[in-house]
Amino acid sequence: MLPESTPLPADTAPVPAPAPAPAKLVEVSSLTLEGLTRFLTEELGERSFRAGQVYRWLHQRGATSFDEMTDLSKGLREKLKARAEIVPLVKDAEQRSVDGTIKYRWKTRDDRYIESVYMPSEDRKTLCVSTQVGCAMACSFCMTGTLGLKRNLTPGEIVAQVHAVNREVRKLEKLETLRPLSNLVFMGMGEPLHNFENLKTALSILQSEDGPNFSHRHITVSTVGLVPMIERFGQETDVKLAISLNASTDEQRSKTMPVNRKWNIAALLDACRKFPLRQGRRITFEYVLLQGFNDSDEDAYRLIELLKDIPAKVNLIPYNENPGLGFKTTMDERAERFREILCEGHVAAFIRQNRGRDIAGACGQLANRGGENASETTQNPELP
């Protein structure tokens, strides 16, 4: 070892300083117009109207690259490439049902997989949207719950499902409109209110006039019953609420829906009574009919009592059987009798047509078969 006073040989190269870590790119597809305006004006030194141009390219035309934004100068596009990114979803698989339903599987940038389901009908074109990779709620009749929660989707990834399916439908049905989808239901993979902040930002983008401009009347968000978040959802958004109830007693519900052990039916329905409803609106209660478990006449009569002071309608969902979960679907005659009892008790009730059963695209069947691995490490976050 050389003494401190000994000079280094002349031909010894100095040790280079470590290179600074590259700046993290801003995910502009996850920004509201207000957030995008701040980024362009404060970070890129651009005039505010440029944000509107970028935003419309992202959320009206569904652009997936800055090079598509042809009314921006080349210089601005280069600045955006250097400082920002549009988070991609890549179509990994597509399955078509005999009933016209199409299930899409998307691959995220970190090699995760999510699914969304397009359900066309004569009067509407509906997309079922996912909000998480997997789900932490572990409902025992649902295949998504077997995956556990891998991570939340960003607002950009939530919205990207809508843009991607708009592109698919335009191409498939040879349509000129930029937004063929008419309705959105947040009933895909994940619990929407468990990813509330990102859901709220995505809803803001989807409802914005400079974006897809969906009406609040045509968006429904479903929850298993995260009671503290139901109040926030009512205060901070204006879209429709659906509650996944699926039982007429706490004993039943706790066996199939672990969330009930933290917030029981009484707490859930109390939150529903306090939920701010626009005039003429009702809360939708989803009730999956499980043969011999929750489909008796007594269950129907109890359900009438539970909902008697809540503006409600009930969607009865014949169970979509999943391998290994141990439940059977209710027969048609029993489902119809259940509906008749509810109607006689002045509860509006409908048997919901299941779409995409033959492609595992129906309610409770989204599980990324061939994609996400249920044995991978999952997150175990605290509920709110």
Side-chain angles (χ1 to χ4, degrees), residues 34 41 47 78 94 115 134 196 348 370:
E34 180 183 5
T41 56
R47 297 173 65 183
E78 292 303 317
E94 173 185 323
E115 293 178 334
F196 180 72

Side-chain angles (χ1 to χ4, degrees), residues 151-164:
R151 69 170 175 85
N152 287 327
L153 296 180
T154 66
E157 289 171 324
I158 296 171
V159 172
Q161 296 169 70
V162 179
H163 296 329

Side-chain angles (χ1 to χ4, degrees), residues 29-75:
S29 47
S30 283
L31 299 179
T32 62
L33 180 55
E34 180 183 5
L36 185 61
T37 301
R38 284 199 302 270
F39 173 65
L40 261 75
T41 56
E42 297 175 12
E43 300 296 324
L44 301 188
E46 295 289 333
R47 297 173 65 183
S48 60
F49 78 91
R50 295 294 185 197
Q53 290 178 289
V54 174
Y55 190 85
R56 286 187 287 274
W57 272 107
L58 289 171
H59 298 303
Q60 284 185 352
R61 303 185 193 186
T64 57
S65 73
F66 296 118
D67 287 330
E68 295 174 55
M69 303 179 183
T70 51
D71 59 351
L72 302 182
S73 69
K74 185 177 179 181

